[in-house]
Amino acid sequence: MARRCAISGKGPMSGNNVSHAKNRTKRRFLLNLRTVRITLEDGTTKKIKISAKELRTLKKNS
């Protein structure tokens, strides 16, 4: 399963680890993903992975 938000489509970003001597090695900045249950129109529930930012937005708008 991909580390991707089901609503916004955001995924991991890439960057560098930088040591004290300024040596750079590649790294990944992962999303803060949460698994939540949502209720669909027909009454069934489904689990989706969404980012914490989208979870805050959903709570704000509901």
Side-chain angles (χ1 to χ4, degrees):
M1 191 81 182
R3 294 191 59 91
R4 192 160 291 276
C5 178
I7 296 175
S8 64
K10 290 183 179 180
M13 292 173 39
S14 62
N16 288 308
N17 281 324
V18 182
S19 71
H20 189 67
K22 302 291 192 285
N23 297 328
R24 287 171 166 81
T25 56
K26 293 301 280 185
R27 62 161 291 181
R28 291 174 71 191
F29 292 94
L30 298 178
L31 253 60
N32 187 6
L33 286 180
R34 298 283 172 240
T35 304
V36 295
R37 284 193 178 106
I38 59 166
T39 305
L40 302 176
E41 296 86 33
D42 58 354
T44 60
T45 59
K46 184 177 180 181
K47 283 186 182 179
I48 60 168
K49 287 184 180 179
I50 62 172
S51 63
K53 182 178 178 181
E54 295 300 322
L55 184 59
R56 289 183 66 202
T57 305
L58 287 176
K59 286 186 178 184
K60 175 182 169 185
N61 293 336
S62 63

